Amino acid sequence: MEYKVGQRLDWDYAWDVEGERGHHRVVVQGVLDGCPHCHAHDFDGMWQSVLIEIVDDVIVSAVQDTSGEGWWADEWRVLEE
């Protein structure tokens, strides 16, 4: 599934959304497929890990994951209830 910054998560299709509704601020991991023509969002190679911040079920940012933690076992973390 493709998501965009500013998009509201549709919990009616929860099978396609990782996590659970009802949290104020959450961060999840994902991959960002860069443009094959202009390499926008390429991060020095396709399919790099990104951190996606969600506030009140709206995607507010997607930035390169530079934590060095690798993939989390839980895939999403609540930052603020």
Side-chain angles (χ1 to χ4, degrees):
M1 178 76 178
E2 291 184 20
Y3 296 99
K4 296 180 182 177
V5 171
Q7 179 177 349
R8 179 170 294 282
L9 297 178
D10 186 350
W11 288 103
D12 290 334
Y13 296 97
W15 57 269
D16 196 37
V17 179
E18 184 67 38
E20 61 188 23
R21 74 174 85 212
H23 300 289
H24 170 62
R25 186 169 168 240
V26 177
V27 66
V28 298
Q29 288 183 305
V31 291
L32 187 64
D33 186 7
C35 173
H37 303 288
C38 70
H39 303 290
H41 305 297
D42 194 9
F43 298 146
D44 299 321
M46 302 289 273
W47 298 99
Q48 294 296 316
S49 173
V50 296
L51 296 179
I52 303 162
E53 183 180 5
I54 301 167
V55 176
D56 296 328
D57 298 327
V58 175
I59 299 169
V60 298
S61 69
V63 297
Q64 183 178 14
D65 182 355
T66 59
S67 69
E69 292 183 42
W71 286 102
W72 307 333
D74 51 359
E75 295 186 26
W76 58 282
R77 296 178 179 174
V78 176
L79 300 180
E80 292 178 49
E81 289 291 336

